[in-house]
Structures are given as C-alpha cells and as structure tokens.
Amino acid sequence: MTHDLLGTISIDELELSPSSTLLKRLFELKKDVFSDSERIVFTCFSPVDQQTLYFIEWCCYYVDIPFFFVKVNTDQDIVKNFFKDVDPDIYVYTDMLDRNVMLESNTTPLFYNSTLCTHPWTGIHAWPDGKTSVCCEFNGNIGSYNINSDSIEDIFYSSEMDEIRESFRNGITPSACVSCTRKEDQGFQSKRQIALHKHRNMLKHIDFETQGNLMFLGGHLGNLCNLKCRICSSFFSSQISAEDVKHGTHIEKADAKVHLQEHVWNRKEFNFWDSIKQKNSLINFEFLGGETLLQKENLSYLQWLVDTGASKDCMFEITTNGTVFPDVLERYSDKFLNFSITLSIDNIGDRFELERRNANWEDVEKNVAKFCSLPNCSIGINTTVNIQNVYYLPELLEWAKTTQISYHHLNVLNSPEFFNIYSLVPSFKELVIDKLETVDNQDIQRILNIVRNASNSDGKEFREFMQHKDKIRNDNFAVSHPEVAECYY
C-alpha cells in the first residue's frame, strides 16, 4: 500500500529519549488538514513497555492526529495488537529495512500520566504578600521564599520544589494538593486536569524526569480591588482591608493594616515587572486579583508583551470580577497565541450585588457582552459555589446560556468553612435537595451529591457573619436571599 510519508517515529528510541520528544514531533507533523494518502509511521522492533504505547495513544489524541493517518511497522506482537485495538483499520506491516540503529542514551523518560501535574515543572504562583506556591489551589507555600527578596529561578529550582516533583514522579500526590484530589473524587475537573488545556503551549517542552523549565507565572498580584465580596477577605481585597480597619475585630484590624501596606509589593523598591521582563522563557500567564484589570502594571505588562512581539507565543489568562472593561483589551486580545478571560460571577441581579458589594449587575451584564465580542479571545465564567448561591444555581446557569461564553466552571468553596456547602443547617439542606434534584445538569448533580452528604450545622457562624456585614454595609441579606435567610436567620 503506497502512502505519502510525513515522518517516522521510532518507539524504540522514545524509550531512550526525553519525555517531551513525542509531543514535540507530533506537533511538528500536525496539519490542519491531512490528505487521504498521508501517513505518520511508528516503528518498533524491540520489546516495549505497555505504558509507552498508552502514552503514544494519549499524545495522538492530545495533538488531535486521527489514527487514520497512522501506520505501524513492527515485528512485535504487543505493538501490533495494541494499535489494532485502538483502530482495527490501522495499516500494520513488517519491513525490517526501516529498523534504526539504536541511540546510546542514559535517559529514562517519565511519560505523562494522569497522576502527574504540569504545574511543578512549569512555574510558580505568587500571592499578594509575595509568598509563593505551586499553583493557586496548592494548600501551602514554597518554603519561606518571597517574590520580594528571592528570584523566580531560585524559587522554581529550590529543594522544596524538587521534593514536590519527586513525590509526583513516585505516583504520590502531595497532601497540599488536596483541593485537586477532592474535586476529582467529586467528578469535577481539577486544576491539574484543566492545566492540560491551559498549558498546551508548554506541555511539549516538559521533561518530567528533569526539574522542568520556567515557563509559567501565575499570581494574585496585589490586593487592589473595587469590591467587597462576602466570601473574600482583606488578604485579597483592599476594599475589605479598609472596611476591616474601621469595623473589624482587633485581629482583623491588625491584619488589614498589614495587607494595605504589604500587598502592594509590586510597587516597592524591588521592581517585579522589570525582573520578569528579563525572563524570556515565560510563555504562559495566569493573572488574578484583587481586581486584575484595575492594576495598571498588569495592563502595562500586556502592552510590553505585544510591543516586543513576545505575545504571539504566549497564552494569557486573566480572571476579573467583570466590573471593569479597559478599552485597550480590544488591541491586545488577537495578539496572543491564546487570550482568555474568566469572569467571577456567582449569582445574578440583586443577589449578585449583595454578594459582591459595590458591583452593579446591569454594568456587569454589559461588560460580559463586551468581553464576548473581543477578537480571538476565549471568555468563560467561574462560579464559586457556597451557601449564598447554591440554591440559586439553576437561575445562574439559565442566565449564562443567554451569553456567548465558551465555558462555565463550578468551583466548590473550601474556605471560610462556615460558607461552604459541606456543612449545612438541615432545613436548608432539604430545601436545596428538593430544588436541585429536578435540574438536568451534570455539574448540578455533582453539587447535589455534596449537599446530600453534607454534615449538619447550626449555622450560627454564617448567620452572625452575614448579620454583621448587613449592619456595617446597610444591606439586607434576607431581602435578596429570602430562601436562605429563612433557614439560617
């Protein structure tokens, strides 16, 4: 059978090469449209590990190369049978003339598998106080490092990060990654799983058997914010910091004063922005708030990436509360390899405005339409599910259907605990179950399972917190959220 050969990949050599080798090669061979006669040939003339074959299958799916355009030259039965199981129509043959001279190599690749996470091999996440972690879901910090005093390289290549990588290599998910394991157990996509999409421009450069390469920077880059969200804190919001200085407890006031002074670390004598402009390897970014689009330094850095031409190789994600729409975004969005904006929207109408004090729902709706009209930009919504909004999720999802968003993630709140849905007053638990069990939506059904298994609470801490916020903000939770208040008040 005659085919037009696009390229040959030796499976024997893959087992002696860095783990990124196959993805790099497949991305090189990938075409938007293949002709019917074109084929990529995999060869194998030595015993091979079954996991290597699984990895090949996964890579072809990940790069989106249909097996119609693959043929296999091998004398190994395990290889023949594997590919025939994948696709019975794959052309498998044996031609020993294609046998390569084996490489001499000391490399033992660690191929990607579902227990690994790309974050420890690609970069770090910075918090408003300058401390760092593996990602925004990681429960802990990377040693005592701080972005104010330590270089990104020193943090990324530290012994603490090496220990995390080694744990993953041994098939052990670190205990600090409990957020991802919990989500996966609940049937939700975890940060680890979503990273396969968000890190698409980096995965082909990751050799899991090494320390990795510094390519990613994520962060809550300061706490400058225009809102006072009830599930948030002074750590992430300058508005809440100011409020706590005036109305908080002694401890809250002390913390808030520190946050107002220390969480503008990117404006200190140490110029964070000048330092990262020197990191030519950075090609993937995830900026969170505070309110990301209020911080001029974030927009200036975007402009710098565009002006230098670096943006064409970069994937950039911004998380925003939706209240701000800088017109300059219209000039940025189509200059990146991929540009995405995730809107934090937990409810609609009056309920949205109470949960996110200072926000105007009508303005946010208008901004959602503006965001969705940006060229070459993926727009989505992240909803943090908690006691305030779990009963109203069906209304939120129906509203989201009227927009042009590309994705909608439901993220279950963990902290503060008195806000999460893992513990509920019995009457509210019953109310939520009765409503959500009628909704035909997989994510809603996963939420429903959590609610059904929730422990009982007296709701005292939630009630006292909400009544305190109502008093100092002149709000009324019972008016905007009557069904919840009736159970908790």
Side-chain angles (χ1 to χ4, degrees):
M1 184 177 294
T2 302
H3 292 117
D4 297 323
L5 180 63
L6 292 176
T8 300
I9 299 172
S10 168
I11 298 175
D12 308 286
E13 291 184 358
L14 288 179
E15 293 196 326
L16 300 172
S17 304
S19 56
S20 64
T21 301
L22 178 57
L23 276 177
K24 286 178 182 175
R25 184 67 173 131
L26 290 178
F27 273 112
E28 290 172 357
L29 298 174
K30 164 71 176 169
K31 299 175 68 173
D32 291 335
V33 178
F34 292 97
S35 71
D36 287 348
S37 63
E38 291 178 323
R39 294 293 186 275
I40 297 169
V41 179
F42 285 94
T43 65
C44 185
F45 300 100
S46 303
V48 62
D49 192 297
Q50 186 82 25
Q51 294 303 315
T52 303
L53 300 176
Y54 287 133
F55 179 66
I56 292 171
E57 180 185 16
W58 180 85
C59 286
C60 288
Y61 282 122
Y62 185 78
V63 181
D64 191 22
I65 295 179
F67 282 96
F68 177 85
F69 302 104
V70 169
K71 67 179 184 178
V72 180
N73 181 10
T74 182
D75 63 350
Q76 302 294 305
D77 288 340
I78 187 176
V79 178
K80 294 178 183 178
N81 294 335
F82 180 85
F83 279 97
K84 281 297 184 180
D85 286 341
V86 170
D87 186 338
D89 295 326
I90 286 182
Y91 180 53
V92 179
Y93 65 103
T94 301
D95 183 353
M96 300 301 289
L97 293 177
D98 285 345
R99 186 168 188 168
N100 294 333
V101 177
M102 292 298 294
L103 294 172
E104 290 187 11
S105 173
N106 293 322
T107 300
T108 302
L110 175 62
F111 296 128
Y112 175 80
N113 61 73
S114 60
T115 66
L116 290 171
C117 174
T118 56
H119 276 281
W121 277 268
T122 56
I124 62 170
H125 181 93
W127 296 104
D129 59 0
K131 294 179 181 178
T132 60
S133 63
V134 177
C135 76
C136 63
E137 297 277 1
F138 191 80
N139 185 23
N141 297 316
I142 303 171
S144 59
Y145 292 98
N146 193 294
I147 214 79
N148 293 319
S149 54
D150 301 295
S151 72
I152 299 176
E153 288 91 348
D154 285 346
I155 301 170
F156 179 68
Y157 294 111
S158 65
S159 60
E160 289 85 351
M161 284 290 283
D162 281 341
E163 288 178 8
I164 293 168
R165 287 187 280 262
E166 187 62 20
S167 180
F168 275 112
R169 288 192 194 103
N170 292 328
I172 302 171
T173 301
S175 58
C177 299
V178 62
S179 176
C180 279
T181 54
R182 172 183 274 184
K183 287 179 181 178
E184 290 167 12
D185 290 343
Q186 293 168 344
F188 290 101
Q189 272 199 310
S190 67
K191 184 83 172 177
R192 163 167 54 184
Q193 293 167 332
I194 294 173
L196 286 178
H197 169 70
K198 291 186 175 183
H199 293 180
R200 189 173 178 83
N201 65 330
M202 298 188 294
L203 190 55
K204 63 184 177 182
H205 301 298
I206 302 173
D207 294 318
F208 290 100
E209 62 275 10
T210 70
Q211 286 184 302
N213 299 297
L214 181 59
M215 299 177 281
F216 169 82
L217 177 65
H220 293 78
L221 306 181
N223 74 340
L224 177 65
C225 191
N226 56 342
L227 301 187
K228 296 183 286 187
C229 302
R230 292 215 177 186
I231 60 173
C232 196
S233 70
S234 64
F235 188 84
F236 295 105
S237 169
S238 57
Q239 286 283 321
I240 296 178
S241 292
E243 182 178 75
D244 281 356
V245 167
K246 186 176 181 180
H247 298 288
T249 64
H250 178 72
I251 294 176
E252 287 172 341
K253 287 180 179 180
D255 287 343
K257 289 178 181 179
V258 171
H259 297 159
L260 283 172
Q261 294 173 351
E262 299 297 325
H263 289 196
V264 289
W265 52 269
N266 52 344
R267 296 180 188 170
K268 294 182 180 180
E269 183 177 342
F270 168 74
N271 196 318
F272 166 77
W273 300 102
D274 283 347
S275 71
I276 65 171
K277 287 176 183 177
Q278 308 305 315
K279 317 300 181 190
N280 295 328
S281 61
L282 292 174
I283 56 173
N284 197 295
F285 304 87
E286 183 181 42
F287 282 8
L288 303 94
E291 171 43 45
T292 313
L293 297 178
L294 275 182
Q295 300 183 44
K296 294 180 180 179
E297 295 86 355
N298 293 341
L299 299 178
S300 296
Y301 184 65
L302 283 173
Q303 184 67 60
W304 179 83
L305 289 172
V306 172
D307 290 344
T308 60
S311 60
K312 69 181 186 302
D313 297 318
C314 293
M315 295 180 68
F316 210 113
E317 180 181 6
I318 287 174
T319 295
T320 173
N321 60 35
T323 61
V324 181
F325 183 85
D327 291 336
V328 292
L329 289 178
E330 296 174 341
R331 302 199 304 267
Y332 297 156
S333 61
D334 62 351
K335 303 297 191 297
F336 287 79
L337 178 66
N338 181 271
F339 196 78
S340 61
I341 295 175
T342 299
L343 299 152
S344 296
I345 298 178
D346 300 337
N347 222 318
I348 61 175
D350 292 344
R351 295 188 295 271
F352 173 86
E353 292 181 354
L354 180 130
E355 294 175 27
R356 293 183 176 267
R357 189 66 153 87
N358 297 344
N360 180 283
W361 175 245
E362 185 177 336
D363 291 343
V364 170
E365 279 198 294
K366 292 177 181 177
N367 285 341
V368 170
K370 290 181 182 178
F371 283 120
C372 289
S373 68
L374 289 172
N376 192 40
C377 187
S378 176
I379 307 297
I381 289 174
N382 183 74
T383 295
T384 302
V385 181
N386 61 88
I387 289 175
Q388 297 175 109
N389 66 352
V390 64
Y391 179 79
Y392 306 105
L393 286 177
E395 291 88 334
L396 174 60
L397 266 60
E398 285 303 310
W399 169 82
K401 290 178 183 177
T402 69
T403 70
Q404 301 299 313
I405 61 170
S406 303
Y407 55 90
H408 191 169
H409 296 308
L410 299 186
N411 177 48
V412 180
L413 179 76
N414 288 315
S415 178
E417 290 186 6
F418 63 84
F419 257 117
N420 71 40
I421 61 172
Y422 297 108
S423 181
L424 303 168
V425 297
S427 60
F428 185 60
K429 178 178 178 178
E430 182 178 348
L431 189 70
V432 173
I433 291 173
D434 288 344
K435 183 175 182 179
L436 297 191
E437 65 183 3
T438 66
V439 180
D440 184 17
N441 178 283
Q442 285 190 341
D443 283 340
I444 292 291
Q445 293 306 304
R446 293 184 182 109
I447 296 294
L448 181 58
N449 287 335
I450 296 173
V451 172
R452 283 178 174 143
N453 291 307
S455 60
N456 290 333
S457 164
D458 61 11
K460 182 175 183 287
E461 194 171 0
F462 174 82
R463 178 173 60 256
E464 291 179 346
F465 178 88
M466 300 302 278
Q467 289 175 337
H468 171 66
K469 293 298 183 184
D470 277 351
K471 181 179 179 180
I472 65 177
R473 297 178 181 179
N474 195 27
D475 284 338
N476 194 331
F477 182 73
V479 171
S480 57
H481 298 64
E483 295 85 356
V484 187
E486 185 175 349
C487 297
Y488 276 87
Y489 280 25

